[in-house]
Amino acid sequence: MRNPIPPFLLCLALTPLSYIFNGSFLAISEKAAKISALLLGSLAISLMLIAKYQFSKAHTTINPLRPENSRCLVTHGVFSFSRNPMYLGMALLLVASAIFFRSVLGFGIALAFVIYIDLFQIRAEERALKERFYEAFRGYQRSVRRWL
């Protein structure tokens, strides 16, 4: 099954839920939470921007809903340690939001995002990439993990 929702929009829609469900506080000071969240959020955004830049530089599609339009397989840079650095960045952004609002349930939201994206987005993308770049993609799958 294919995901009909752009992953980044889903991430943005889920982010405020950590604030809404912030009644379950992490045992961490507000200051430590804010600093940790800022650092993790910065890492997450950097990861997504670097991956986007690498796609642009390779002149291939960044549209996650149309992976069959990929012109090439990007396997270097941030893609050399994660096959999905953008989704990893989005998941880390949700974790940063949970930390910022000290919301234990926010971690569950991040986990739900990972499971949903894994089942309904990544699997469809990987099928399309396998059809388009069979041997190269199989080698990439063997050498680089899906998330980390």
Side-chain angles (χ1 to χ4, degrees):
M1 178 179 241
R2 195 172 214 176
N3 176 28
I5 306 166
F8 190 67
L9 291 181
L10 179 61
C11 177
L12 288 178
L14 292 174
T15 300
L17 292 180
S18 286
Y19 171 73
I20 293 168
F21 296 114
N22 71 358
S24 55
F25 293 104
L26 289 174
I28 184 173
S29 75
E30 186 174 348
K31 184 177 181 179
K34 289 189 184 333
I35 291 169
S36 300
L38 179 64
L39 292 172
L40 186 59
S42 297
L43 172 67
I45 291 168
S46 297
L47 193 57
M48 290 186 287
L49 289 174
I50 291 167
K52 182 184 183 311
Y53 171 76
Q54 288 184 259
F55 272 156
S56 297
K57 191 174 177 185
H59 303 291
T60 193
T61 186
I62 192 163
N63 184 351
L65 303 182
R66 307 295 298 181
E68 65 277 2
N69 292 341
S70 296
R71 294 180 60 195
C72 66
L73 194 59
V74 180
T75 61
H76 59 283
V78 293
F79 292 92
S80 66
F81 69 83
S82 172
R83 292 197 314 259
N84 298 285
M86 288 186 191
Y87 301 140
L88 176 60
M90 291 175 209
L92 291 175
L93 204 54
L94 290 168
V95 170
S97 176
I99 293 170
F100 185 85
F101 295 114
R102 297 186 296 155
S103 170
V104 173
L105 291 175
F107 289 99
I109 292 164
L111 179 60
F113 173 82
V114 167
I115 292 168
Y116 179 85
I117 289 299
D118 200 75
L119 290 174
F120 299 108
Q121 183 67 43
I122 293 173
R123 290 181 189 201
E125 283 181 14
E126 289 188 345
R127 276 191 301 276
L129 293 172
K130 198 179 295 181
E131 286 175 19
R132 189 134 169 94
F133 310 105
Y134 184 78
E135 207 50 53
F137 186 73
R138 297 284 292 155
Y140 182 51
Q141 276 185 307
R142 283 190 296 273
S143 63
V144 178
R145 296 175 66 136
R146 183 177 280 169
W147 288 94
L148 268 181

